[in-house]
Every structure is written in structure tokens, then in C-alpha cells.
Amino acid sequence: MSDSPFEPDDSATDNNAGMRKGLTSYGDRGFSLFLRKAFIKGAGYTDAALERPVVGIANTGSAYNPCHGNTPQLIEAVKRGVMLAGGLAMDFPTISVHESFAAPTSMYLRNLMSMDTEEMVRAQPMDAVVLIGGCDKTVPAQLMGAASAGLPAIQLITGSMLTGSHRGERVGACTDCRRYWGKYRAGEIDAEETADVNNQLVASVGTCSVMGTASTMACIAEALGMTMPGGAAPPAVTADRIRIAEQTGAQAVRIARDRLSIDKVLTPAAFENAMRVLLAIGGSTNGIVHLAAIAGRMGLDVDLHALDRMGRETPVLLDLKPSGQHYMEDFHAAGGMATLLRELKPLLHLDALTVTGRTLGEEIERAGPGFKQDVVRPAARPIYPQGGIAVLWGNLAPGGAIIKQSAADAQLMEHEGRAVVFENAEDLVARIDSDALDVTAEDVLVLRNIGPKGAPGMPEAGYIPIPRKLARAGVKDIVRISDGRMSGTAFGTIVLHVTPESAIGGPLAHVRSGDRIRLSVAHREIALLVSDDELARRARETGVPEPTAERGYRKLFLQTVTQADKGVDFDFLRAPNTVGKVPR
């Protein structure tokens, strides 16, 4: 045993912990630690501070990301919690991605953010990491990266924005954004009112105030056991959110000391609990893609057939827009996730471990008996009798497709119509508002080449606008089909994630305007009503060259991105071995 504070002690149990963890390669471990301490002491740290468990804090604050506008306050509170629990907090920057400030789409950058998170967690000395995320792709990116890195990790959600008021009506992003824009396109409101409501839709920093993708991923993170209890619902600018941040910092020290690594939390049971919650909250369809990506990092595939069976027995209980009427701040006031989980208890794996070191069942019991409220419905009186999301199959989607049935028009969920095909997003923009467009309310709009490779990045262009001439005639919904995604805040009878995508030769590539398409949610069918022989003939006659790029990240993306059923992750980032499927 060496007396030097810089010489590694091979008999010590903490030789690869704290500031000794992941030493830079100089060929001399003692010198590596000596140099590391010299530099960090330049910031004023003492040896006493540097001997504590180190908690990294992934700082995703950015002027381009108003959803994370409270990050400085959250970091301060996390550091306070870490200090109170006897740890040393070290915040570090990573990529930050906002939905409205990322071209061509935030999904194009999610995997890059996950790689940034994974590699910075691996490269820097930390015993646990606090992941601060909120906007749609940030939470899944962080969970993907942390899952691959394997360290003890805990998620801290930035929280939702507050709602605003427009001419006496309560409004919030982004379901109401789409509703008012639809009114403007239909000529129901003028430019002045559009400008007025634009000032009220986002009343504070924070994520969308409805059950969009950000709120969905917040609820999923808590259901996975990756946040502190009650971590999903508090709005961004509330004292409750700051208190959750302090608790998160303190718990990060505990999981560091207990070596509660992420693989002990992200189990098949945890993923099944998250899927139950996704279905019961009427969550974003994007939640399936992100769960598939996170599960893929743990060696698990998502079984869409089993997920659909789960959906048939899981009612929508949360009365939030776009499936219901309330907002996230109402959900928080109603008790948040504890209220929902209490209703779902018979359907959950209560023995699943959480980052608190206790099981999900124990946390539900610790939350108490609940109280009267009208945001989370009892199972006997659901918002919708089945899960919010249904999985469809057929010759148009051999690998599956998704529809958010809880936000669709019941009269259109059993429908047959004529296809009106748009080749890509540019074609859609060029023709959708033309009075010469040959379209009726009974038709089926088809948009292709917006999948993972086709766009690239699988943008949220699947929320195809109602053709202007139909909108002005009062049409509020029409069946729409694409290989892309739509925002979790959106609504309508919209079939998404058609797999395989058209850009790699999927059947969607061979649909022609005038073909008949049948949608039957009851039978879980999406069918192109042409013969197999005809489809095969079209495929032979019309080659589909896969998109390519000459260099850079785009080339990496196009060469390695997977399809929607695998989470649109890069194939080389998934776990090397598949160990099972979820749901089981």
C-alpha cells in the first residue's frame, strides 16, 4: 500500500470511484491523478471536497431551448441536494435539442445527443449522473445514453409551462397552437387574432402543457422508476419543481454509494409498466419509438403485437388534451403520477425497482390514499375504453403502423377511401392549399418519404394539414397516412410510422393516387386494396434508390438508422445481443 495520495491502491474498494474514476491515459496512473487534481484545484477545490462521491449533472440549458429555461435554477437545487447528502456536484454541458429550433427535425439529432450523453458520462469522473431533460427528444436521448453507459443515473424533468389566457379562454401549447392555426387556415380567425393568441400559448418557460411527447416522456420516466416520486408533473416555474430537483441531487449521492446502476432499474418489468402508463395517459405515439430505442440499448425488442394486446385491456384514464380537456398543471394539482399509478395498480409490476431503492408498489403506498379530483378517471369510468394507441398491420404496413385512437374521429376509424398521394414534404407544401387539388373529405391523404431515411429523421410532418379548400368548407378531420411521425400534441385520424418506410422500398412507395385504402381500427388493419401481384409488379417497375450522403453526420445517419419498430436508433448503438422482448 502506498502512502502517496496519488498512487493507486489496488486493495482499495474505491480505487475506481470519484476523482480516481476513468483516469486519462498517460501511461502512469499516479501522474494522471496528480495532474487531474492539480487542474481541478485551480478552480478552488480542496482535497476534502475531491474525496466525496462525484455526481455529474448533464446541463442541457440553451438559449435555443426555452423548454429548458429553468435549467440554472434546477442545477442550483440539484447541487444543494448533492452537498446536503455529502457529495460533490459537477455540472457539464451536452447537446440540447428543441423541437422548433432543430432542422430538419429534432429526431435527426436525438441519437447524436444520446451519443454525446453516453460518451461524456463515460469520459468524465462521476459515480452517478443527474440527467436534466424535458423537451421531446432530450429525455429519451439521455436515457438511451445513460442505459449504454451503465452508471447509476437519475432523470430530472424540467417541467411543463403554465397555461395562458386568450380572450377569456384558457390556452396552452401545443394542442391549442394547432387548433388556432387550423382556424386561421380555415378563415375562421384573422391575422390579428392569430398574433394575439401567439402571445398567450406559451405563458412561461417549460415543456408543452398538454400530453405531448415531452409530458409523455416525463410520465414514462417516472413509470420506469428513473425519477424521484412525483417527478413528472410539477410545472417548470413552481417551488415543487425546485424541491424535486434538490431531492434528485440527494438521491444521486445515495445511488452512487449504493452502486444502483441503471440496468437494475431498466428491467423488462419497468418497460412494461412504462407501456401501461403510455397507454393509460393517451400518450404521444412518439413514446413507442423512444421506448423501443431505450429498450434496444438494454437488449430488448418491443413486441408490437403484445403491445397492442396490452392496449386492449388498458383504458385511457387521464383527462388531458389532446385526448381530454385538462393541462399538466391540473394533473400535478390532482396528485400527479401517484394518482394515476394508484388506479393502474392491478395492471402494474409493483415489484419493479426504482431509483429510490424501493419498489414501485412501495412508492405508491408511500404516496398515501389520494383525494377527490377529476383529472384522473377511475378505471370504471375511463376517458377511452382501450389504450390511446393501437397498432395496425396489413399489406401497406407489414412491419406495423400506429394510430392514436383516443384522439381520432370515431366515424373515420372504419373507413375506405381514395388515395391522394404526396411524394414528399415539398410536394405536400406545393399542392395542399391549391384549389385545383383533386380531393374530397372521403379521400385518404398519403404522404411518403418522411420516414427515418426518407426525410431524413422521420419528422413530425405526419400531421398533414386539412387541404385548405376542405378546411374552409368546415372539414375538421380526414384520414391521413404516412411513414413519419406527428407531435404528441396533435390529434386526428392519422396513421403513422408505416413500416418499412417508402424510402427503402416499403409498400407505401407504390401507392398511386386513385387506389383504394381501407382503415379498420377495430380489426387493426391498414390495407391497400390492390392485389399482391399488382404490388409486386409496381415494385419491379419502379425502383426505389435509398437516400445517400457524401459525408458527415448525415452519411452516418442514413447508413445506420433503423426503422420505427426498432426505435429509429443507430444499429451500432443498440445492445450487441438481444435478450428478450417487451411486453412479455
Side-chain angles (χ1 to χ4, degrees):
M1 179 183 292
S2 171
D3 293 329
S4 170
F6 306 111
E7 290 296 333
D9 180 0
D10 293 332
S11 66
T13 58
D14 62 349
N15 199 37
N16 193 32
M19 283 295 162
R20 293 174 173 82
K21 189 178 179 73
L23 290 170
T24 307
S25 297
Y26 291 115
D28 181 336
R29 292 182 62 197
F31 175 71
S32 297
L33 181 59
F34 174 78
L35 198 61
R36 174 174 288 177
K37 282 194 170 184
F39 275 110
I40 200 69
K41 284 178 178 178
Y45 288 94
T46 64
D47 282 317
L50 298 177
E51 289 303 313
R52 293 184 172 201
V54 178
V55 173
I57 305 171
N59 179 354
T60 53
S62 167
Y64 287 108
N65 196 341
C67 291
H68 294 199
N70 62 340
T71 300
Q73 293 80 17
L74 294 179
I75 290 174
E76 180 184 359
V78 171
K79 287 184 173 180
R80 184 168 66 244
V82 171
M83 185 67 74
L84 288 169
L88 175 62
M90 304 287 288
D91 65 291
F92 62 95
T94 71
I95 290 172
S96 182
V97 181
H98 187 277
E99 285 301 295
S100 297
F101 290 91
T105 172
S106 62
M107 190 66 168
Y108 180 67
L109 298 173
R110 184 203 63 181
N111 298 345
L112 184 62
M113 183 177 174
S114 83
M115 294 168 69
D116 182 15
T117 302
E118 175 184 350
E119 296 307 326
M120 295 312 292
V121 167
R122 285 186 189 278
Q124 300 173 131
M126 63 189 77
D127 301 299
V129 62
V130 174
L131 308 164
I132 300 180
C135 195
D136 296 12
K137 308 308 179 294
T138 60
V139 172
Q142 290 178 323
L143 290 175
M144 290 159 67
S148 295
L151 263 67
I154 185 168
Q155 185 78 54
L156 175 60
I157 304 299
T158 58
S160 62
M161 65 184 69
L162 300 180
T163 52
S165 179
H166 171 66
R167 301 185 182 182
E169 180 187 358
R170 189 184 188 194
V171 293
C174 231
T175 301
D176 295 328
C177 306
R178 301 177 191 284
R179 185 166 58 87
Y180 271 91
W181 189 250
K183 286 184 175 186
Y184 175 65
R185 282 177 52 80
E188 297 174 14
I189 61 174
D190 59 17
E192 181 180 357
E193 182 172 356
T194 304
D196 286 346
V197 74
N198 189 254
N199 290 329
Q200 295 299 319
L201 287 163
V202 180
S204 73
V205 298
T207 60
C208 287
S209 56
V210 299
M211 191 47 70
T213 303
S215 298
T216 296
M217 291 310 302
C219 295
I220 282 176
E222 186 167 345
L224 283 169
M226 285 300 300
T227 74
M228 291 301 292
V237 296
T238 60
D240 283 344
R241 174 55 62 193
I242 299 299
R243 280 189 282 268
I244 287 288
E246 181 184 302
Q247 294 167 15
T248 300
Q251 187 58 33
V253 178
R254 298 185 193 106
I255 64 174
R257 286 179 169 145
D258 295 341
R259 291 178 167 79
L260 182 57
S261 53
I262 194 170
D263 61 300
K264 297 173 184 174
V265 178
L266 293 184
T267 61
F271 282 106
E272 288 167 9
N273 286 340
M275 290 173 183
R276 288 284 186 195
V277 165
L278 170 64
L279 295 164
I281 61 179
S284 168
T285 50
N286 293 308
I288 296 176
V289 176
H290 297 319
L291 273 173
I294 301 165
R297 299 296 183 97
M298 303 304 298
L300 298 168
D301 284 336
V302 170
D303 185 336
L304 291 177
H305 290 276
L307 177 65
D308 189 67
R309 289 194 296 271
M310 180 184 279
R312 291 179 183 271
E313 61 184 33
T314 308
V316 177
L317 302 180
L318 187 56
D319 187 6
L320 250 68
K321 290 187 175 185
S323 297
Q325 295 301 313
H326 292 285
Y327 295 87
M328 279 299 286
E329 58 196 89
D330 305 317
F331 183 34
H332 176 53
M337 281 290 289
T339 303
L340 178 74
L341 295 172
R342 198 177 293 114
E343 285 295 326
L344 290 175
K345 272 182 71 173
L347 300 175
L348 298 173
H349 297 291
L350 300 178
D351 58 348
L353 189 65
T354 75
V355 289
T356 65
R358 295 180 289 270
T359 66
L360 183 65
E362 289 171 332
E363 293 298 353
I364 295 172
E365 292 304 313
R366 286 168 63 91
F371 51 86
K372 185 178 180 181
Q373 47 78 42
D374 64 354
V375 179
V376 178
R377 296 276 190 90
R381 192 170 54 87
I383 295 292
Y384 195 80
Q386 295 184 359
I389 296 169
V391 185
L392 309 173
W393 288 272
N395 66 347
L396 198 52
I402 301 297
I403 186 169
K404 189 170 184 177
Q405 57 180 342
S406 61
D409 186 332
Q411 295 182 335
L412 289 175
M413 289 199 290
E414 304 297 318
H415 183 79
E416 182 182 318
R418 182 186 61 149
V420 177
V421 179
F422 298 92
E423 192 63 30
N424 49 40
E426 292 73 23
D427 183 33
L428 176 74
V429 170
R431 294 195 291 132
I432 193 69
D433 287 339
S434 172
D435 288 338
L437 182 65
D438 181 13
V439 65
T440 73
E442 299 302 311
D443 291 336
V444 176
L445 305 185
V446 175
L447 175 58
R448 57 186 171 218
N449 290 309
I450 62 165
K453 292 191 177 186
M458 203 181 182
E460 293 182 344
Y463 185 70
I464 304 169
I466 304 294
R468 179 167 285 176
K469 70 179 185 180
L470 297 184
R472 287 175 172 168
V475 175
K476 300 299 183 185
D477 198 5
I478 187 172
V479 175
R480 289 157 274 182
I481 300 172
S482 78
D483 46 12
R485 300 177 300 111
M486 77 173 182
S487 167
T489 66
F491 48 89
T493 311
I494 302 173
V495 178
L496 304 156
H497 309 181
V498 170
T499 304
E501 65 172 305
S502 54
I504 63 171
L508 198 67
H510 309 303
V511 180
R512 296 178 179 176
S513 289
D515 287 345
R516 305 289 294 180
I517 293 177
R518 181 173 63 234
L519 167 66
S520 175
V521 178
H523 293 98
R524 300 299 196 260
E525 180 189 38
I526 183 69
L528 178 63
L529 302 183
V530 302
S531 69
D532 292 344
D533 289 343
E534 172 62 14
L535 259 183
R537 184 186 67 80
R538 292 180 184 180
R540 288 193 302 271
E541 292 180 355
T542 308
V544 180
E546 286 197 30
T548 60
E550 291 185 354
R551 60 164 302 278
Y553 179 67
R554 190 183 184 97
K555 182 174 183 177
L556 174 70
F557 189 99
L558 291 173
Q559 287 180 345
T560 64
V561 72
T562 60
Q563 292 293 286
D565 58 335
K566 300 295 186 185
V568 196
D569 199 1
F570 295 154
D571 55 15
F572 65 88
L573 293 177
R574 289 170 56 85
N577 298 306
T578 300
V579 297
K581 292 184 177 183
V582 286
R584 291 165 293 183

